[in-house]
Amino acid sequence: MTESLLRIDGLGVDFHTDDGVVHAVTDVSLAVEAGEIVAIVGESGSGKTVTAMSVLRLLPKAAEVSADAIAFRGTDLRTLSGAELRKIRGGPVGMIFQDPMTALNPVMTIGAQVAEAVVLHQVRPDKKAAWQRAIELLRLVGVPDPGERVKQYPHEFSGGMRQRAMIAMAIANDPDLIIADEPTTALDVTIQAQVLALLKKAQAETGAATILITHDLGIVAELADRVVVMYAGRVVESAGVTELFATPRHPYTKGLLASLPRMDVDVDQLDPIPGNPPNMADPPAGCAFHPRCPLARDRCRTDRPPLLAIGAGRTSACHFNEELA
Amino acid sequence: MGAFLVRRLSINVLVFFLITIAIFALVHKTPGDPIAMQIPADQLNSGSAEFIAQKRAELGLDGSLVTQYWHWLTNALHGDLGYSLLNGRPVTEVLGERVGPTVELMGVGLLVSLLIAFPLGILAARRRNSWLDYGATVVSLGSVSVPVFFVALIVIYVFTLKFQWFPSSGISDPTNPSLLNTLHHLVLPALILGFGNSGPFMRYVRSSMITELGADYVRTANAKGAPPRRVVLRHAFRNSLIPVLTVIASNLPQLLAGAVVIEQVFAWPGMGQLAVSSVNQHDYSVIVGFALLIAILVLLSNLLADVLYTVVDPRVRLR
């Protein structure tokens, strides 16, 4: 078997808080192959962002990360020295963050920030060339009049333009993997479509694999090849995007799909998942989803269902996944 | 940026006039005849009653309060603050020769306090809850809570009496007033003044740096592969300066207050020493001039902070 581009095995992330230990992520494994787009879907607090941040070791110091492997092109990122890790960060792995307002430095020009991404990975740092490259990158991501706007500050950019600048930084060094954490969540709906189209284009041009973190199943359907659904810090289902939308094999996934508004079927009202996401400081025993699950039986309250292979490239963590088939 | 500074400047001018009214009220309420403050003492003593009356009319002291204020203000703005009650010299002249030494002491003292506060504050923020952080906290608490004169006495005992490394009195040796000699005299007072003011600065640098180091853009910089040094100094530090500048500017009066004490202890011929001796000797005209000078100094330092904002924070330039 050839090595995956990125392989995460048995990832766990704990936070020690005043209310006790929070297991933000437990036993998450996933693989990303070259060129594919993998979406990680889940509600707030499901651990999807924490999972993505742990790849480049970007979690705060308070986070306690354990894993059997976090390997990028076969190199275990956990054991790299700071200098070696920095060659990966922003080089072969680019990151896009959720809120482009706060994710950009307010007192540095856009150009300086994009050029910085270039300079940091030049063998022989050349600021002039990096500045030219920054202009070129901004043009590539559709910032109009990049020669002028490169001198502006983030507050002079609109939300959509800022996110374009973020994307420019992420693709500055022709990455093999882009990790996009809710790249459109903070944007207006009309802008979301443009930024999505740009992400698609960037992905097509660089051929980079992408981890797309989102709670928006519309975006998943449009972009993703494969989907990993997370709930309460664990993977509850994973499948190819077509199979997942056609035949979800976990009641949570099914609930997510049912709560989507649809244009093609005439329904009077939306069908949301009842209840709230679990309190991660004190998650339910057994299957964490059981308090909200329509299929829940006695067994679900005590036995946590393991994540099992249920067919080619599919996994599900539900005692009754057969019933959903 | 222009509009921002013009607005700040006009606010400062307004405040300045309010302060002059307050100071004028002080002048008006001082014991004795106000004429005594506004003409040289020898003229006052030798002059006839007519001469005094004529002077009184010239100075507007026989008019209403408003005319009196106006006269006083226009004179003050022309640099005429009256005469010292003590030796009859013009107040502007008396104050003028004291400004230099105080500015020198305050400037170097400020530099010292920043040189202590910035590295220590940044290190403490980066290694939060480490021994270094606790150590820095103790140092800053010490600098705030131990009175300057006490530190000064200890330092004089150790470095002047015991080791005889530094002089403890005066601004320079009258027989050898070279630059090196002046600096030699400056070491102890500036270090003590700087140390005394470094505490609050350090705490603010630390807390501001902690806020900025947790910001999203710092994570972005890390994700780009920036080394820690660059993340701290290029990204977080400049953002952390914005609140710190306010604190430094608003602490300048305190720095001056510290300088007053230091000048007493080290026989430093500055404004502070003059102010204290003027108060002791009831030299009201000098006290009033001193008050006006302090007001101008404080306003100027606030204005300086505003100008520095526009340099540090591009968002201020547009507003």
Side-chain angles (χ1 to χ4, degrees):
Chain A
M1 202 180 107
T2 55
E3 181 73 53
S4 300
L5 182 69
L6 176 74
R7 186 167 54 85
I8 301 175
D9 261 345
L11 175 73
V13 182
D14 294 346
F15 288 93
H16 294 268
T17 70
D18 294 340
D19 301 329
V21 181
V22 172
H23 303 286
V25 169
T26 313
D27 197 20
V28 165
S29 300
L30 63 93
V32 179
E33 307 302 330
E36 76 169 342
I37 302 183
V38 176
I40 303 181
V41 183
E43 290 163 317
S44 311
S46 61
K48 53 193 194 301
T49 297
V50 173
T51 301
M53 292 302 152
S54 64
V55 174
L56 289 182
R57 308 209 316 237
L58 287 173
L59 289 170
K61 279 190 192 132
E64 209 168 278
V65 180
S66 59
D68 298 327
I70 301 177
F72 177 72
R73 290 194 300 220
T75 314
D76 199 327
L77 299 179
R78 294 172 309 155
T79 55
L80 287 186
S81 70
E84 289 168 323
L85 181 68
R86 287 197 290 278
K87 282 184 190 151
I88 307 270
R89 287 174 170 177
V93 182
M95 292 215 52
I96 300 167
F97 295 101
Q98 174 171 349
D99 187 347
M101 181 70 240
T102 58
L104 291 170
N105 187 337
V107 302
M108 274 172 86
T109 60
I110 296 283
Q113 297 188 57
V114 178
E116 184 183 35
V118 177
V119 165
L120 286 171
H121 294 276
Q122 282 172 331
V123 184
R124 251 173 292 147
D126 179 348
K127 284 189 173 172
K128 264 194 181 154
W131 187 261
Q132 286 310 314
R133 172 89 173 125
I135 295 174
E136 188 190 315
L137 281 163
L138 289 178
R139 180 173 294 123
L140 194 73
V141 296
V143 172
D145 198 9
E148 281 305 307
R149 303 212 64 175
V150 72
K151 296 176 218 150
Q152 292 184 333
Y153 289 90
H155 69 273
E156 296 170 83
F157 270 48
S158 68
M161 284 300 149
R162 279 184 218 129
Q163 198 57 299
R164 284 170 194 267
M166 277 295 303
I167 294 172
M169 286 195 281
I171 62 172
N173 298 300
D174 200 14
D176 295 325
L177 176 66
I178 297 171
I179 300 176
D181 182 15
E182 306 247 11
T184 59
T185 307
L187 303 177
D188 289 344
V189 180
T190 46
I191 307 297
Q192 284 187 3
Q194 295 174 11
V195 170
L196 276 183
L198 174 65
L199 270 178
K200 228 177 188 170
K201 181 181 153 208
Q203 201 266 340
E205 277 184 21
T206 58
T210 304
I211 297 180
L212 180 69
I213 296 151
T214 181
H215 59 263
D216 187 336
L217 287 170
I219 294 173
V220 173
E222 196 168 330
L223 287 182
D225 300 316
R226 224 149 44 75
V227 189
V228 174
V229 183
M230 287 187 68
Y231 189 81
R234 289 174 186 270
V235 175
V236 293
E237 182 169 10
S238 71
V241 68
T242 331
E243 295 85 45
L244 187 99
F245 275 79
T247 53
R249 294 282 292 272
H250 192 284
Y252 176 62
T253 317
K254 200 177 154 92
L256 279 182
L257 292 171
S259 61
L260 277 185
R262 294 183 62 162
M263 303 284 276
D264 53 341
V265 189
D266 194 17
V267 286
D268 289 336
Q269 61 181 60
L270 295 175
D271 201 2
I273 304 175
N276 293 306
N279 172 11
M280 290 304 287
D282 183 22
C287 173
F289 188 56
H290 83 254
R292 304 169 72 186
C293 182
L295 298 180
R297 290 162 218 180
D298 284 350
R299 189 183 167 193
C300 303
R301 281 173 249 283
T302 51
D303 286 3
R304 192 173 48 73
L307 186 68
L308 294 176
I310 52 161
R314 292 201 71 166
T315 58
S316 166
C318 177
H319 293 306
F320 310 109
N321 76 74
E322 298 291 333
E323 292 177 22
L324 289 161
Chain B
M1 159 149 131
F4 169 76
L5 284 184
V6 165
R7 208 177 60 211
R8 299 302 306 173
L9 189 65
S10 44
I11 291 173
N12 276 313
V13 168
L14 182 73
V15 171
F16 174 74
F17 278 107
L18 292 177
I19 291 172
T20 59
I21 292 174
I23 292 177
F24 174 73
L26 206 74
V27 176
H28 192 72
K29 279 293 166 200
T30 46
D33 191 335
I35 188 79
M37 293 170 64
Q38 302 200 16
I39 59 174
D42 50 336
Q43 288 184 25
L44 180 72
N45 295 332
S46 61
S48 61
E50 291 80 46
F51 171 76
I52 303 281
Q54 185 204 339
K55 274 286 169 190
R56 204 184 292 280
E58 268 175 36
L59 291 164
L61 289 176
D62 52 355
S64 69
L65 267 185
V66 178
T67 23
Q68 285 191 41
Y69 168 67
W70 184 247
H71 265 273
W72 175 79
L73 182 68
T74 43
N75 281 341
L77 289 180
H78 285 98
D80 179 3
L81 289 164
Y83 298 85
S84 163
L85 299 184
L86 216 61
N87 52 26
R89 291 174 60 207
V91 170
T92 345
E93 196 182 299
V94 175
L95 282 176
E97 62 193 26
R98 298 298 189 118
V99 171
T102 295
V103 167
E104 183 183 316
L105 178 61
M106 280 179 68
V108 179
L110 182 65
L111 192 72
V112 168
S113 68
L114 297 182
L115 285 178
I116 297 173
F118 277 118
L120 219 54
I122 291 172
L123 275 176
R126 286 201 58 194
R127 313 216 181 123
R128 205 149 31 126
N129 301 329
S130 68
W131 285 109
L132 193 142
D133 187 16
Y134 297 142
T137 305
V138 169
V139 169
S140 72
L141 264 178
S143 94
V144 179
S145 48
V146 182
V148 169
F149 62 83
F150 186 69
V151 180
L153 290 180
I154 292 176
V155 166
I156 288 175
Y157 177 74
V158 173
F159 292 100
T160 306
L161 295 181
K162 278 273 172 195
F163 295 120
Q164 306 198 334
W165 286 350
F166 297 102
S168 68
S169 166
I171 192 167
S172 62
D173 192 340
T175 58
N176 173 31
S178 66
L179 178 69
L180 201 69
N181 185 266
T182 311
L183 288 177
H184 196 215
H185 278 78
L186 189 59
V187 171
L188 289 187
L191 278 182
I192 295 167
L193 183 62
F195 174 69
N197 275 275
S198 66
F201 292 168
M202 197 224 102
R203 299 309 290 168
Y204 276 102
V205 170
R206 177 186 176 272
S207 71
S208 183
M209 274 304 281
I210 286 175
T211 310
E212 297 305 328
L213 285 174
D216 283 357
Y217 67 81
V218 165
R219 192 178 56 181
T220 307
N222 279 318
K224 281 195 277 191
R229 203 188 158 78
R230 191 182 171 90
V231 172
V232 170
L233 295 180
R234 283 294 288 272
H235 288 271
F237 179 63
R238 209 172 142 196
N239 279 284
S240 80
L241 273 183
I242 298 164
V244 170
L245 279 179
T246 322
V247 175
I248 293 174
S250 58
N251 248 297
L252 285 185
Q254 239 143 316
L255 194 72
L256 187 73
V260 169
V261 177
I262 300 262
E263 285 177 7
Q264 285 299 303
V265 178
F266 284 91
W268 193 263
M271 288 194 298
Q273 206 194 33
L274 176 71
V276 173
S277 65
S278 303
V279 170
N280 283 337
Q281 293 163 325
H282 306 281
D283 196 344
Y284 295 109
S285 43
V286 173
I287 297 172
V288 165
F290 185 69
L292 200 64
L293 199 64
I294 299 295
I296 292 172
L297 192 77
V298 171
L299 290 177
L300 278 183
S301 58
N302 281 331
L303 201 64
L304 180 71
D306 289 334
V307 173
L308 288 179
Y309 284 152
T310 65
V311 176
V312 171
D313 190 349
R315 286 163 296 184
V316 174
R317 290 176 215 167
L318 277 192
R319 250 183 266 140

